[in-house]
Amino acid sequence: MMRADDSSMHAILVTGATGFVGRHLCEKLMPSFCLVRGALRIAESAANLPAGVQAAQIEAIGPATDWSETLAGIDIVIHLAARVHVMDDSSKDPLGAYRHVNVAGTENLARQAAAGGVRRLVFISTVKVHGEERDVSYSEENDLSPKDPYGVSKLEAETVLHRVAEETGLEVVIIRPPLVYGPGVKANFLRLLGVVERGIPLPFASINNRRSMVYLGNLVEAISICATHPKAAGQVFLVSDCDDVSTAELIRRIAIALGREPRLMHFPPNLIRLAGRLLGKTNAVDRLLGSLTIDSSKIKRELGWQPPYTMIEGITKTAEWYNDRQRQ
């Protein structure tokens, strides 16, 4: 539900509309907006968009992308498209590759949007602009200290968006989510679902860390509110399920949702870290053992947002999708 504004009067553009978050966001927005347009690459088929979403095909995102036709008649942009975090990046210049899309490409879109009469741009950033694992929860006021090229590029994109806003009057809203999961999830969370489903023993029973995550439905609700809420203009928000869990508890919840017995073993964390170093998986092990939590009280206080799904509900819906996928 859009608050404090009539969303039915707005035309909205979603970049990255065929992606994991983009498809679900478009479905969420369709009943509320007079027009939902989804930007997708020339090589992609418009059939990948949800029914009713207007397709707008573009060249690869970068500093020279022509957005003029795609932005025609649009007054709100939600910018999801990005060069995403890559675990084992083989690029000769990873930071340069991220900057080309995430910084220069974002600035180009924002400037063309402002020149074309767009009122607001919602940018999906990442909690990684704050840094990596730590024991104290991050809030929007914490220092910014990204540790990898992806996080650096997202912070630089935020910086250029603030500059564009100051120069043009474009309303910019920034959302920094942690790990996003839900039906259609890929990468590490999908691999974890497979490991738990197969009943492979995992050595994390002794891990007492805390991790924030955000279910896809909760993130989509937050984005949709930020698209029109008057108080969102110029703001930065951290969004999570508001239910931080240890790696062991996450595995237990996934196992229950999949109808499996959680198979957790006690193993000294120091030995797990040593094994990670020997296997060249230090970063992956750090994420499994370390803590990274966020405080979502600002978006609750300022916009009245509440996560519509509990983490258990989110994990259950993700497990149902995974089981359906395995049966196909």
Side-chain angles (χ1 to χ4, degrees), residues 6-233:
D6 184 2
S7 60
S8 64
M9 301 299 293
H10 295 300
I12 193 164
L13 171 69
V14 178
T15 72
T18 59
F20 169 48
V21 177
R23 281 188 56 84
H24 289 82
L25 177 62
C26 287
E27 291 173 352
K28 167 72 176 177
L29 299 174
M30 277 296 296
S32 302
F33 287 80
C34 67
L35 171 68
V36 177
R37 184 176 295 158
L40 65 162
R41 296 179 190 175
I42 294 293
E44 290 184 286
S45 170
N48 294 328
L49 291 170
V53 176
Q54 185 183 92
Q57 292 183 307
I58 59 168
E59 300 288 349
I61 295 176
T65 306
D66 182 2
W67 291 93
S68 55
E69 292 186 9
T70 304
L71 289 167
I74 296 296
D75 58 341
I76 299 171
V77 173
I78 298 177
H79 189 34
L80 288 164
R83 188 176 195 270
V84 298
H85 181 61
V86 180
M87 289 294 295
D88 298 308
D89 201 326
S90 60
S91 172
K92 293 181 180 179
D93 180 15
L95 182 54
Y98 283 114
R99 280 173 167 160
H100 181 82
V101 178
N102 297 351
V103 184
T106 297
E107 180 174 11
N108 176 44
L109 169 60
R111 291 197 179 279
Q112 289 190 46
V118 170
R119 178 172 64 87
R120 178 173 294 186
L121 186 148
V122 180
F123 179 65
I124 311 306
S125 185
T126 172
V127 69
K128 291 175 75 66
V129 301
H130 288 286
E132 299 293 340
E133 288 73 17
R134 73 171 198 168
D135 293 332
V136 180
S137 294
Y138 287 114
S139 70
E140 293 84 356
E141 290 72 33
N142 285 130
D143 291 340
L144 303 172
S145 182
K147 304 301 183 186
D148 64 12
Y150 172 68
V152 169
S153 72
K154 283 291 193 174
L155 177 55
E156 291 178 354
E158 290 187 19
T159 301
V160 300
L161 285 174
H162 288 310
R163 184 164 64 243
V164 172
E166 291 175 0
E167 294 173 359
T168 67
L170 177 70
E171 295 177 359
V172 169
V173 187
I174 293 169
I175 299 175
R176 297 174 183 156
L179 184 148
V180 184
Y181 68 98
V185 71
K186 298 179 181 178
N188 289 338
F189 201 95
L190 178 59
R191 285 190 283 271
L192 181 59
L193 287 168
V195 169
V196 175
E197 191 273 334
R198 292 192 295 274
I200 297 173
L202 295 168
F204 303 127
S206 301
I207 306 305
N208 295 313
N209 62 338
R210 308 300 293 175
R211 305 290 298 192
S212 291
M213 302 189 301
V214 62
Y215 174 57
L216 181 60
N218 291 334
L219 176 59
V220 162
E221 176 73 9
I223 295 171
S224 66
I225 291 172
C226 287
T228 61
H229 200 300
K231 291 185 178 180

Side-chain angles (χ1 to χ4, degrees), residues 228-288:
T228 61
H229 200 300
K231 291 185 178 180
Q235 296 296 318
V236 176
F237 298 108
L238 289 168
V239 178
S240 78
D241 287 340
C242 305
D243 181 10
D244 305 329
V245 295
S246 66
T247 297
E249 178 60 23
L250 173 62
I251 291 168
R252 291 188 189 97
R253 293 185 182 187
I254 290 173
I256 292 169
L258 289 170
R260 297 287 190 270
E261 286 293 326
R263 302 193 66 186
L264 288 162
M265 304 181 301
H266 289 277
F267 208 74
N270 287 341
L271 291 182
I272 299 175
R273 293 185 190 278
L274 175 60
R277 286 197 296 271
L278 294 175
L279 295 172
K281 300 293 184 181
T282 299
N283 291 339
V285 169
D286 285 345
R287 276 184 285 275
L288 287 168

